[in-house]
Amino acid sequence: MRKNIDVVVIGGGYAGVMAANRSTQREDVTVTVINPRAAFVPRLRLHQLVGGTHDAVVDYTEVLAEGVRLVVDSATRIDTARRSVTLAEGGSIGYDFLIYAVGSGSAGPRVPGAAEFAYPIATLEAAQQLRSVLYDTPMPAAVTVVGGGPTGIETAAELAEQGRTVTLVCGGVLGPYLHYRARRTARKYLAELGVSVLEGPDTSVTAVTREAVELADGHAVASQVTIWTAGFGVPDLAAHSGLRTDAAGRLLTDETLTSLDDERIVAAGDSSAPSDLPFRMSAYAAGCLGAHAADTVLSRIAGDQPAPIDLSFPAMCISFGRRTGIFQLAHKDDTAMRLYFSGLVGKKLKELSCAASVEHLVTEARKPGSHSWPKDGKHRPALLRAQRVDVTAPVA
């Protein structure tokens, strides 16, 4: 009698759900997802949750394949010797293969006062708390959003569209990923919404107080509610479990997404660092990496050699409230093209992308193995060759 193979996925975000669904292709595989909450959170919607235009939750019955077991708990340690995952609520779950997809959040702010007086937005619970705070805050009160990336821009625009007084502190350039032409359009949209944009090297935040945000140039921005969207961090589960990680805490893997320490552990999404060259944080990349992680596990079960990850980035999109957006087209090496769509077309393309990020999971649940994505085959191998040259170059 053939024994079932236990695949455990830690993390129920875009990468974890995609990996879990795709792993069900084999009848002899039993899949378990460990996640700290009972609902799927489409993180692309969290700024809308704060603004009151979306709940940012989807029932797991809609996105998880039938037969996938969901354990609502947090993993506290991976025991590679025993092949088990220790749970916060007690007990453990054994595995034959483990997919590490714990996701990411904001880095713990090191700026004085930020932890005490600024509100993060990277998790469902943080966004819900911020929404509650804003509900109790008068509309004319000064709101400051720290961070000039997509989350900061979208949060600032969402709140300004409601009529709030919003300042966006970039700490550098606004929308660094965008082509300079699209960046110019972004500034125009924010200005139309009444957002005051502060950008440049002197706009880095040096301190946060209860009533202000202090900048490197010595200026203080009045702020009754400060929202922190800057920085990147991942859970310390891998490092705590004795697995090698990069400087940010992502699990170090080879190009098949297999841990450098254990071929039974495969990583996906924001918490993975293949060849110490992680992909840009995005729902799109998370879904593709989740699918590839499952393919790697299925190849190992079948006794085949897993393939290296091959992924290109077609676009990035940003919404500016509910009425307009920018859909930035990209080269395969994930750099912005001159071409982008804006206005109502940009908004519709952004909305289609957000909906597709969930629909891909639903489709994979119904038809495991169906998800596909654009390939590159050129730019990442070049980056890897350059990395090897840098490592082996003699020190002058």
Side-chain angles (χ1 to χ4, degrees):
M1 184 174 176
R2 192 166 52 179
K3 175 185 177 295
N4 261 21
I5 299 166
D6 291 317
V7 174
V8 171
V9 181
I10 304 179
Y14 295 105
V17 171
M18 178 63 78
N21 290 346
R22 199 173 183 91
S23 297
T24 63
Q25 292 177 73
R26 291 182 60 117
E27 293 183 357
D28 60 344
V29 168
T30 300
V31 183
T32 299
V33 173
I34 303 170
N35 193 63
R37 59 183 67 85
F40 174 76
V41 178
R43 287 181 59 185
L44 293 173
R45 304 286 192 183
L46 287 178
H47 66 284
Q48 288 184 253
L49 170 61
V50 172
T53 59
H54 202 284
D55 291 336
V57 290
V58 176
D59 196 288
Y60 271 118
T61 58
E62 297 183 32
V63 296
L64 270 181
E66 185 177 352
V68 173
R69 176 189 175 206
L70 175 66
V71 175
V72 181
D73 206 336
S74 296
T76 60
R77 187 172 180 273
I78 301 166
D79 187 333
T80 57
R82 297 182 179 179
R83 292 183 194 161
S84 69
V85 179
T86 304
L87 302 177
E89 297 297 321
S92 61
I93 295 178
Y95 65 83
D96 293 303
F97 290 91
L98 179 72
I99 297 178
Y100 186 84
V102 297
S104 65
S106 296
R110 298 180 181 179
V111 173
E116 294 84 359
F117 302 117
Y119 295 91
I121 191 179
T123 66
L124 176 66
E125 293 76 16
Q128 288 172 332
Q129 180 189 13
L130 176 57
R131 179 178 176 177
S132 178
V133 168
L134 289 167
Y135 183 81
D136 294 330
T137 301
M139 289 297 290
V143 175
T144 301
V145 179
V146 179
T151 303
I153 293 171
E154 292 185 326
T155 303
E158 199 79 24
L159 297 178
E161 193 173 64
Q162 294 179 350
R164 291 193 176 275
T165 303
V166 181
T167 299
L168 177 60
V169 178
C170 298
V173 68
L174 174 73
Y177 179 89
L178 297 173
H179 190 274
Y180 76 88
R181 295 170 68 240
R183 194 175 301 127
R184 187 168 55 207
T185 301
R187 293 190 185 102
K188 182 187 77 170
Y189 289 157
L190 291 169
E192 290 172 350
L193 289 168
V195 178
S196 298
V197 178
L198 303 180
E199 57 178 325
D202 291 338
T203 63
S204 59
V205 177
T206 56
V208 178
T209 68
R210 192 180 300 277
E211 298 179 345
V213 173
E214 299 177 6
L215 306 181
D217 62 4
H219 286 85
V221 180
S223 182
Q224 191 164 332
V225 177
T226 300
I227 303 171
W228 196 274
T229 71
F232 172 88
V234 297
D236 64 357
L237 177 61
H240 180 68
S241 303
L243 298 167
R244 278 180 284 178
T245 64
D246 70 358
R250 305 177 187 92
L251 182 66
L252 284 171
T253 75
D254 63 16
E255 285 295 286
T256 73
L257 306 184
T258 303
S259 167
L260 298 183
D261 300 304
D262 191 329
E263 69 174 14
R264 297 272 179 162
I265 298 177
V266 180
D270 296 343
S271 56
S272 64
S275 303
D276 205 9
L277 285 172
F279 291 93
R280 172 170 57 83
M281 172 184 169
S282 69
Y284 160 75
C288 298
L289 291 170
H292 191 87
D295 289 347
T296 291
V297 168
L298 294 173
S299 292
R300 293 197 183 282
I301 293 173
D304 299 329
Q305 177 61 37
I309 182 66
D310 190 359
L311 170 65
S312 66
F313 288 77
M316 189 188 83
C317 43
I318 300 176
S319 62
F320 295 80
R322 297 298 88 213
R323 293 188 289 272
T324 192
I326 289 177
F327 191 85
Q328 172 71 71
L329 295 178
H331 298 286
K332 286 186 175 182
D333 64 351
D334 198 24
T335 58
M337 292 182 178
R338 287 175 58 87
L339 181 61
Y340 67 97
F341 297 95
S342 57
L344 181 60
V345 174
K347 179 256 181 184
K348 288 184 176 180
L349 288 171
K350 158 73 175 183
E351 185 57 34
L352 284 172
S353 297
C354 288
S357 67
V358 175
E359 189 57 38
H360 288 322
L361 303 179
V362 174
T363 301
E364 190 71 19
R366 295 171 180 166
K367 190 178 178 182
S370 62
H371 187 59
S372 60
W373 56 92
K375 304 299 193 291
D376 177 9
K378 176 182 177 182
H379 295 95
R380 186 164 180 87
L383 285 174
L384 292 169
R385 287 193 297 271
Q387 182 190 54
R388 286 193 291 270
V389 170
D390 288 343
V391 170
T392 58
V395 179

